[in-house]
Amino acid sequence: RHDSRVEVRRSAVVALAAALKVDSIPDCIAALDDPAPEVYAEAAYTLAILGTASTGTEENPAALRALRAHADALRAALASPTPKTATVRFNAATALRVIADPEEDLVPLLTDPLDNVRSEGLHLLGTLIHSGKRTLGPADVALLENLARSDDNPQLRWRAINLVINGAPTLDERNAWTGTDAIQPRPDSLPAIRRHLEKEPVWTIAV
């Protein structure tokens, strides 16, 4: 915590994460206030793992509260997409996905050059919609449409399309947008969905 070297402080957090013990949570919460993104994003990732029930332990409310309180810093960590910040951005994106802030700006997540960050962004949007915390509007569909048309990762393109298609207001419209093969929906269906949303501005996706 007090070492002047960023890499040493980050390595200490990595060691805490490797232990996968809940008694390391207070130290990770303290590390969220570290001035270096490499350190606080690593701490956030650790809290995202240890604070949820996914590791076989009970959900830790203190860990999740701490992440929510530091959401602005985590968003700032996404602001400089360079190769040197790849791990920082992925760690921050994972923590933001775990706290599932409905006000989260999806643009930095879904346009990040790192596949894993864009994947976390899609996961976050699906979680928000499934929980009823967010509805899909024309701007969201336009963002997903751009990802579906231009992303280099075919799996992410498929996920972007299906995230929208699965929320078609009616089965007939869904069939019209997907064609006969619902497993491989057409990217050209997305402009039709966006036009629909411009007439009916908001509907909730059933993911």
Side-chain angles (χ1 to χ4, degrees):
R1 186 184 300 181
H2 303 294
D3 198 289
S4 62
R5 294 164 294 180
V6 171
E7 187 55 34
V8 170
R9 300 198 305 275
R10 189 193 74 85
S11 295
V13 176
V14 171
L16 290 172
L20 288 177
K21 294 182 178 180
V22 294
D23 56 7
S24 65
I25 285 177
D27 287 327
C28 289
I29 290 176
L32 289 175
D33 291 319
D34 193 285
E38 297 90 339
V39 179
Y40 71 68
E42 193 73 51
Y45 178 83
T46 302
L47 290 170
I49 301 302
L50 296 180
T52 63
S54 60
T55 55
T57 60
E58 294 183 1
E59 183 177 289
N60 189 290
L64 298 181
R65 282 196 304 270
L67 287 177
R68 293 187 183 100
H70 291 80
D72 286 345
L74 295 172
R75 294 186 190 103
L78 296 169
S80 301
T82 68
K84 289 184 178 180
T85 64
T87 300
V88 170
R89 298 194 324 273
F90 171 69
N91 288 340
T94 300
L96 289 170
R97 187 258 302 165
V98 166
I99 61 176
D101 181 359
E103 302 303 319
E104 184 62 46
D105 181 6
L106 294 171
V107 174
L109 289 167
L110 296 184
T111 59
D112 191 277
L114 195 66
D115 284 14
N116 286 346
V117 173
R118 298 195 304 281
S119 178
E120 290 291 340
L122 290 171
H123 192 167
L124 169 61
L125 181 57
T127 298
L128 291 173
I129 293 169
H130 184 68
S131 65
K133 293 181 179 179
R134 183 168 179 149
T135 51
L136 200 70
D140 295 318
V141 176
L143 184 61
L144 292 169
E145 179 184 347
N146 182 66
L147 192 154
R149 290 181 180 278
S150 61
D151 201 287
D152 292 334
N153 187 316
Q155 183 180 31
L156 296 185
R157 296 199 303 270
W158 181 86
R159 286 173 59 190
I161 296 169
N162 276 280
L163 190 58
V164 180
I165 294 293
N166 288 342
T170 70
L171 183 60
D172 287 342
E173 285 173 311
R174 181 182 303 184
N175 290 340
W177 292 337
T178 60
T180 57
D181 186 0
I183 303 301
Q184 295 292 334
R186 301 191 310 264
D188 61 5
S189 65
L190 292 173
I193 299 173
R194 184 150 45 86
R195 286 194 297 272
H196 174 89
L197 285 174
E198 288 167 355
K199 297 177 182 178
E200 302 290 338
V202 172
W203 37 265
T204 303
I205 290 183
V207 184

